[in-house]
Amino acid sequence: LFRSMRKFALSLLSFLCCACILFAGTACLAVGETESLIDGIVDYRLKESGCSSVQSLAQKGLSSGAGKGASEWYAIGLSAYYKNLDLSGYSSALSSYLSSNKISSATSRQRCALSLIACGKGGDSFVSSTAADSVGGLGIMSYIFGLQLASNGAPLSVSKDGIISEILSLENADGGWSVSGSNSDVDVTAMALAALAPYKNGSAADAVERGLSFLSSKQLESGGF
């Protein structure tokens, strides 16, 4: 996401999907496959940042990008994958960024709120204000991220069932989801499924199966998409 290099963008997308699934407490991929994928992406990020350890990356390496995109997804994923990781350096940098910059995009605010929750800052006023007025503010992605907020304890003004219903209503005929149009997008579908994963045995069951079938139909022999 947010980078011009296609290889890095695809890796970060994979990381995002795994991070969201882990963050919501539902691991759908085989453990070994997930760990191998995440380890490789973390190693790439360590080399790129010049950090010697994951802790150094969490404390310093992510801080320069706090509030700007990729760092938030890394913080979310790292917090879920490495237990007891100290992300206080990053969360302080993010809080500082948020206090001096106005973010108007609903999904950008949700991204930052999710990362604060991952850092143990779920009680931050930015989280509560974002949860109160961002859901549905920018189409399908604001519902997907809104459901992630709800699943992780944020006090939303709308119910989980209501958000799930909105996501299900936006499903395309091919079984997936997209930001616009009727042709589903692999990335958006993967993120929708990550948000719906905790509810796969309830009202979202059939839609999750259709979404997985859509992703399977788009998967290449190499395992990529």
Side-chain angles (χ1 to χ4, degrees):
L1 305 177
F2 318 112
R3 296 292 295 269
S4 60
M5 285 173 31
R6 180 171 176 77
K7 181 177 180 181
F8 179 80
L10 291 174
S11 295
L12 186 53
L13 267 173
S14 299
F15 186 76
L16 166 59
C17 293
C18 291
C20 288
I21 292 170
L22 290 168
F23 193 32
T26 306
C28 298
L29 298 177
V31 174
E33 294 175 356
T34 303
E35 290 179 347
S36 177
L37 174 64
I38 296 176
D39 288 343
I41 295 169
V42 172
D43 286 343
Y44 176 92
R45 188 68 177 89
L46 286 173
K47 292 175 182 177
E48 184 191 50
S49 65
C51 293
S52 59
S53 67
V54 173
Q55 184 58 69
S56 176
L57 176 64
Q59 279 293 85
K60 301 177 181 179
L62 299 179
S63 296
S64 63
K68 301 173 184 177
S71 288
E72 281 71 70
W73 299 128
Y74 275 112
I76 290 170
L78 291 175
S79 71
Y81 192 53
Y82 298 96
K83 301 304 180 184
N84 302 316
L85 190 65
D86 184 0
L87 281 157
S88 59
Y90 160 77
S91 63
S92 294
L94 178 58
S95 294
S96 177
Y97 179 87
L98 294 173
S99 67
S100 57
N101 293 273
K102 180 177 177 57
I103 302 177
S104 58
S105 166
T107 52
S108 294
R109 292 172 59 214
Q110 290 172 327
R111 181 194 71 233
C112 291
L114 283 168
S115 62
L116 285 173
I117 293 174
C119 294
K121 304 291 184 180
D124 191 283
S125 60
F126 182 85
V127 174
S128 57
S129 63
T130 297
D133 63 12
S134 65
V135 179
L138 195 60
I140 179 62
M141 295 310 303
S142 62
Y143 285 114
I144 289 172
F145 293 162
L147 185 56
Q148 289 283 11
L149 283 169
S151 298
N152 287 284
L156 272 66
S157 58
V158 292
S159 69
K160 290 181 185 178
D161 288 341
I163 301 173
I164 291 171
S165 293
E166 288 292 344
I167 294 174
L168 297 184
S169 73
L170 293 170
E171 179 188 354
N172 291 323
D174 58 14
W177 286 264
S178 57
V179 171
S180 62
S182 59
N183 294 320
S184 294
D185 180 84
V186 167
D187 305 334
V188 177
T189 299
M191 286 187 274
L193 291 177
L196 292 171
Y199 315 100
K200 62 184 175 64
N201 294 321
S203 60
D206 292 340
V208 167
E209 288 301 317
R210 289 191 294 270
L212 290 173
S213 294
F214 169 78
L215 289 183
S216 179
S217 72
K218 299 298 181 181
Q219 191 167 25
L220 306 175
E221 290 185 5
S222 64
F225 291 88

